[in-house]
Amino acid sequence: MEVITHPTPRTVEEVFTDFRGRRAGLIKALTTDMVKFYQTCDPEKENLCLYGLPNETWEVNLPVEEVPPELPEPALGINFARDGMQEKDWVSLVAVHSDSWLLSVAFYFGARFGFGKNERKKLFQMINELPTIFEIVTGNAKQSKDLSANNNSSKTKSNGVKVPKMSSPPPKEEDESEDEDEDDEQGAVCGACGDSDGTDEFWICCDACEKWFHGKCVKITPAKAEHIKHYKCPSCSSNKRARP
């Protein structure tokens, strides 16, 4: 059961700070504290909920007994599905429910304290600048429509990370076969797995060989990519180390 020890947020900025703190706690549970979280969600226990707290911590606990509750409640019984599905699928499911819960709490505060149209819009815009928990735990962040619309080339850079526009993939060398040209029309091909599927997944381009890769194939998430100025794929990195 969650015990609120922080002042109740009343302004847009305060609600966003509350949202960001709870979100940080949930992200910890599903990433750095994953082992502890997994063990806590014992299917033999009663219905359990994952709570994110304003102080950037998390807890797994029984739902509150108060009806109606002081705040919207998270998804009930997350522990029951733990052993019935793949771990990554279970974590993704918990992440989706956590995203929904965060929004419900934020806009509960907005409704409770009478946020007007402009205040609700401002709150959503502030929240929308952050990647969702689901996007973080899966490394599957989609590129915003605005970013795609503002780029005329097949790739652009954001903090040094190239983002492909899958509708017009990077052209291959002119001396490649006609069969490869046909593949070109279908989209970029991952330099690791050779697959062109996953146009809604995160891709990254090597600054050395100019090949595109699924982020998951080279173990690069959008969060990691933000801190990379010049990315080199595993092959190019190995070649550099092999030079005398």
Side-chain angles (χ1 to χ4, degrees):
M1 183 184 301
E2 180 181 6
V3 178
I4 300 178
T5 58
H6 297 259
T8 303
R10 296 176 180 271
T11 67
V12 171
E13 289 74 18
E14 289 174 344
V15 171
F16 179 67
T17 297
D18 180 90
F19 174 94
R20 192 168 52 189
R22 295 177 188 274
R23 172 180 172 274
L26 293 170
I27 292 173
K28 287 179 182 177
L30 299 177
T31 55
T32 56
D33 294 348
M34 181 58 200
V35 174
K36 179 181 177 182
F37 170 65
Y38 187 88
Q39 294 173 345
T40 304
C41 294
D42 186 350
E44 298 299 322
K45 296 181 180 180
E46 297 183 46
N47 289 310
L48 295 177
C49 300
L50 171 61
Y51 294 90
L53 306 181
N55 62 355
E56 301 186 5
T57 61
W58 61 274
E59 68 176 8
V60 172
N61 214 329
L62 296 171
V64 298
E65 298 179 357
E66 180 184 5
V67 179
E70 175 65 21
L71 292 176
E73 283 289 289
L76 180 66
I78 57 172
N79 52 314
F80 294 148
R82 193 196 72 176
D83 295 343
M85 54 198 307
Q86 294 290 332
E87 180 179 324
K88 65 177 182 179
D89 294 331
W90 176 68
V91 172
S92 297
L93 180 63
V94 175
V96 169
H97 282 293
S98 297
D99 283 321
S100 300
W101 177 68
L102 284 175
L103 287 173
S104 67
V105 171
F107 282 90
Y108 163 81
F109 285 131
R112 179 178 176 182
F113 296 109
F115 286 5
K117 177 180 179 181
N118 291 335
E119 291 171 311
R120 294 193 302 270
K121 181 178 180 180
K122 179 180 178 181
L123 176 60
F124 179 78
Q125 288 176 334
M126 294 172 74
I127 292 174
N128 203 39
E129 288 298 315
L130 301 173
T132 64
I133 298 174
F134 175 79
E135 290 172 336
I136 290 175
V137 301
T138 62
N140 228 5
K142 295 181 180 180
Q143 305 304 321
S144 68
K145 294 181 180 180
D146 290 340
L147 181 62
S148 298
N150 290 333
N151 290 284
N152 296 321
S153 62
S154 61
K155 55 189 175 181
T156 185
K157 281 197 172 185
S158 176
N159 292 333
V161 180
K162 296 181 178 178
V163 181
K165 182 188 288 183
M166 298 310 298
S167 58
S168 52
K172 297 183 178 181
E173 297 297 329
E174 295 180 357
D175 59 350
E176 292 184 339
S177 66
E178 293 181 359
D179 290 339
E180 290 177 327
D181 289 339
E182 291 179 0
D183 291 339
D184 223 12
E185 296 177 358
Q186 299 176 0
V189 176
C190 176
C193 68
D195 200 341
S196 61
D197 293 336
T199 56
D200 60 344
E201 296 182 4
F202 173 73
W203 290 66
I204 189 169
C205 181
C206 175
D207 286 299
C209 65
E210 297 292 324
K211 291 182 180 179
W212 290 94
F213 299 86
H214 291 121
K216 63 182 180 182
C217 290
V218 291
K219 298 182 179 179
I220 298 293
T221 65
K224 289 182 179 179
E226 290 181 359
H227 302 286
I228 300 175
K229 293 183 178 180
H230 300 286
Y231 173 70
K232 287 189 177 182
C233 66
S235 178
C236 291
S237 296
S238 298
N239 292 338
K240 182 178 180 181
R241 288 194 294 267
R243 293 176 184 174

